[in-house]
């Protein structure tokens, strides 16, 4: 009996193997659903922006309305251009804290609480429309708290998926899985667009209900890890005993996350995570890559509306093509990096190609509907491909780096550092776009092109290292 407890059933057993695969697939589906909901609830502010701060000179003013300021009479106070820019940036600035916190708490509780509270604050923002609230302090507090809750998502879901999937297929699997970002953006745009012109409050309330509902699903159904907890740890599913936490000691499968076994591995320190080879380079690269991606996320609908003269709903719908391209780009980046073993090189090539494509999109992208569709798909793939690869497969690779000696709890901290650094870019991008756009959209695109080039430069050392490995001068390594 003692031997059975120390050596759980092998995955070569067809029944055990089938259950393992089902749980792995179910975890992949659940985490996809969770982060889709996170991004879905993040999108409404970019769609509603054109309704909160409108060009009042083009709106017919009611005859009984006695207003002297013709430029802002139709805005929803207290919103103006600078206020909406501030709300877009503040939810990206606390990723470090909550990501590092994530490895010290059970991920199931952590994610569930984050989604429920994010849903609450998203709904409260929408209720401001129905309660006729015009206080900057109300909206500022609600959006700040929502931003705080939003940062619970990414490090936790990456840690879950990294615990279930080995390194060999990680790029492709996470490339497909990371399409949740674009799917969430698309659904968020479409849902918010339905209500934006009639009752913009519902553009927040409906996504808030959706993410709160997924938080309930998370609490009851998420199995956060399959790591073995006894003996020497093997975080990448190499051994047949990797399903011990699910299968040992019982014929029934529990959805409880690891209370049955203790984890004696200490959480890695912030400085310890920074010392992992590749973390600093990829973090700085993501800062500029995410700057470009989030500028498109928040400003593309307004750009299309201004340049192509579309209505708010039509511009929002057209902007979803950028995210469709992002899905294809993320999958392609994962496939290529798995085949070549060159995560940095794959990102570098796509970032270099993105720079001239952004220039072309600005100059010829609005000449015809066909050109617009093609350029949006292409730019979306090249911009979001590296971003998707770094935040998923690269983060998981570095979080399970050989220098950690099996410390699987480091994955959440490494993910938080990389994505947290990227979040600085996610905050700066929309803010800079708002400051630069009055001088012309051309200058905004020059800023985005410069950011892409800088992102590529930060990877140059790692690219050189990978190329040397391919030439046989050094063993090929990732990260």
């Amino acid at each position: 009996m003692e031997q059975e407890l120390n050596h759980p059933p092998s995955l070569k057993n067809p029944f055990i193997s089938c259950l393992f695969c089902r749980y792995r697939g179910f975890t992949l589906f659940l985490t996809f659903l969770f982060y889709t909901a996170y991004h879905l609830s993040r999108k409404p502010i970019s769609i509603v922006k054109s309704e909160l701060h409108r060009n009042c000179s083009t709106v017919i003013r009611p005859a009984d309305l006695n207003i002297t300021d013709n430029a802002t009479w139709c805005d929803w106070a207290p919103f103006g251009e600078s206020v909406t820019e501030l709300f877009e940036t503040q939810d990206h600035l606390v990723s470090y804290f909550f990501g590092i916190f994530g490895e010290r708490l059970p991920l199931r509780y952590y994610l569930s609480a984050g989604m429920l509270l994010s849903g609450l604050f998203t709904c409260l923002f929408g209720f401001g429309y129905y309660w006729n609230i015009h206080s900057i302090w109300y909206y500022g507090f609600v959006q700040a708290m929502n931003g705080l809750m939003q940062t619970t998502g990414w490090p936790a879901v990456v840690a879950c998926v990294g615990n279930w999937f080995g390194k060999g297929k990680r790029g492709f699997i996470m490339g497909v899985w990371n399409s949740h970002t674009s799917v969430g953006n698309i659904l968020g745009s479409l849902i918010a667009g339905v209500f934006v012109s009639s009752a913009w409050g519902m553009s927040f309330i409906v996504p808030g209900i959706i993410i709160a509902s997924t938080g309930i699903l998370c609490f009851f159904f998420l199995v956060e890890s399959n790591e073995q907890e006894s003996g020497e740890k093997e975080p990448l599913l190499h051994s047949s005993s990797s399903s011990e936490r699910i299968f040992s000691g019982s014929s029934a499968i529990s959805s409880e996350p690891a209370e049955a076994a203790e984890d004696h591995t200490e959480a890695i320190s912030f400085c310890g995570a920074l010392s992992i080879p590749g973390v600093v380079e990829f973090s700085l690269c993501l800062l500029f890559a995410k700057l470009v991606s989030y500028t498109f996320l928040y400003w593309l609908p307004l750009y299309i509306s201004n340049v192509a003269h579309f209505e708010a709903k039509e511009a929002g719908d057209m902007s979803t093509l950028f995210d469709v391209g992002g899905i294809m780009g993320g999958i392609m980046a994962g496939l290529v990096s798995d085949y070549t073993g060159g995560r940095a090189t794959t990102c570098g090539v796509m970032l270099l190609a993105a720079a001239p494509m952004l220039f072309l999109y600005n100059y010829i992208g609005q000449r015809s509907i066909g050109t617009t569709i093609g350029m949006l798909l292409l730019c979306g793939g090249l911009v979001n491909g590296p971003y998707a690869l770094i935040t998923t497969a690269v983060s998981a690779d570095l979080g399970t780096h050989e220098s950690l000696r099996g410390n699987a709890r480091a994955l959440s901290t490494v993910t938080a550092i990389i994505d947290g650094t990227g979040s600085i870019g996610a905050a700066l991008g929309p803010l800079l776009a708002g400051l630069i756009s009055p001088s012309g959209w051309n200058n905004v695109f020059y800023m985005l092109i410069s950011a892409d080039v800088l992102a590529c430069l930060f990877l140059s050392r790692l690219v050189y290292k990978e190329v040397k490995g391919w030439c046989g001068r050094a063993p090929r390594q990732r990260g």
Side-chain angles (χ1 to χ4, degrees), residues 172-458:
F172 171 69
I173 290 170
M174 287 193 160
V176 175
W177 174 77
N178 192 64
S179 63
H180 52 46
T181 299
S182 297
V183 171
N185 290 341
I186 292 169
L187 292 177
S189 297
L190 296 176
I191 292 172
V194 170
F195 306 104
V196 62
S197 299
S198 55
W200 62 259
M202 292 301 294
S203 296
F204 291 89
I205 293 172
V206 173
I209 292 172
I210 291 173
I211 189 173
S213 301
T214 57
I216 296 172
L217 284 177
C218 176
F219 182 81
F220 286 107
F221 295 108
L222 178 66
V223 181
E224 67 188 53
S225 176
N226 73 309
E227 294 172 20
Q228 68 179 52
E229 294 293 336
S230 59
E232 187 175 352
K233 300 184 75 109
E234 193 70 42
L236 295 177
L237 314 182
H238 289 314
S239 70
S240 62
S241 61
S242 58
S243 57
E244 179 178 2
R245 280 176 65 172
I246 296 179
F247 303 117
S248 62
S250 175
S251 60
I253 297 178
S254 171
S255 62
E256 291 294 326
E259 286 88 355
E262 294 184 31
D263 185 359
H264 299 287
T265 306
E266 292 184 3
I268 192 172
S269 67
F270 184 85
C271 293
L274 282 178
S275 68
I276 299 171
V279 168
V280 173
E281 290 93 335
F282 277 112
S283 296
L284 293 174
C285 172
L286 185 63
L287 188 153
F288 291 100
K290 209 166 180 179
L291 183 152
V292 177
S293 181
Y294 271 70
T295 301
F296 272 95
L297 173 68
Y298 287 118
W299 282 91
L300 185 58
L302 186 63
Y303 172 77
I304 294 174
S305 178
N306 287 350
V307 176
H309 307 294
F310 284 9
E311 294 295 327
K313 183 182 184 304
E314 295 171 341
D317 292 344
M318 182 65 71
S319 70
T320 60
L321 292 172
F322 185 83
D323 292 298
V324 173
I327 294 174
M328 297 185 290
I331 294 173
M332 184 61 65
L335 277 171
V336 172
S337 68
D338 277 346
Y339 179 75
T340 62
R343 306 285 200 217
T345 304
T346 302
C347 292
V349 170
M350 295 184 78
L351 288 167
L352 271 182
M357 288 303 107
L358 293 178
F359 180 84
L360 288 175
Y361 172 65
N362 183 41
Y363 276 91
I364 67 172
Q366 309 299 332
R367 289 186 178 180
S368 68
I369 189 68
T371 305
T372 300
I373 292 172
M375 292 301 295
L376 281 173
L377 291 172
L378 185 58
C379 290
L382 293 174
V383 168
N384 283 344
Y387 161 41
L389 187 63
I390 294 172
T391 54
T392 52
V394 170
S395 295
D397 287 352
L398 296 176
T400 51
H401 193 271
E402 60 185 10
S403 66
L404 296 173
R405 299 182 180 180
N407 183 357
R409 294 183 66 186
L411 181 55
S412 183
T413 294
V414 171
T415 304
I417 290 173
I418 293 176
D419 194 58
T421 306
S423 293
I424 298 174
L428 288 176
L431 182 62
L432 290 175
L435 297 174
I436 297 172
S437 59
S439 65
W441 286 106
N442 287 347
N443 294 329
V444 174
F445 275 86
Y446 294 148
M447 180 266 290
L448 297 178
I449 292 168
S450 301
D452 259 335
V453 173
L454 285 171
C456 187
L457 288 176
F458 278 114

Side-chain angles (χ1 to χ4, degrees), residues 43-105:
K43 187 67 176 176
I45 189 68
S46 68
I47 302 299
V48 176
K49 178 199 298 185
S50 58
E51 191 70 20
L52 298 176
H53 178 66
R54 305 170 68 184
N55 182 4
C56 299
S57 62
T58 63
V59 181
I60 300 175
R61 186 170 60 183
D64 58 344
L65 189 63
N66 185 17
I67 296 292
T68 57
D69 191 346
N70 292 326
T72 61
W73 69 267
C74 64
D75 288 352
W76 182 276
F79 292 98
E81 188 173 4
S82 59
V83 174
T84 51
E85 290 163 13
L86 177 62
F87 285 170
E88 287 165 359
T89 63
Q90 63 183 350
D91 66 337
H92 302 296
L93 298 178
V94 286
S95 294
Y96 286 108
F97 174 74
F98 270 90
I100 294 171
F101 215 22
E103 72 174 30
R104 292 160 172 82
L105 297 173

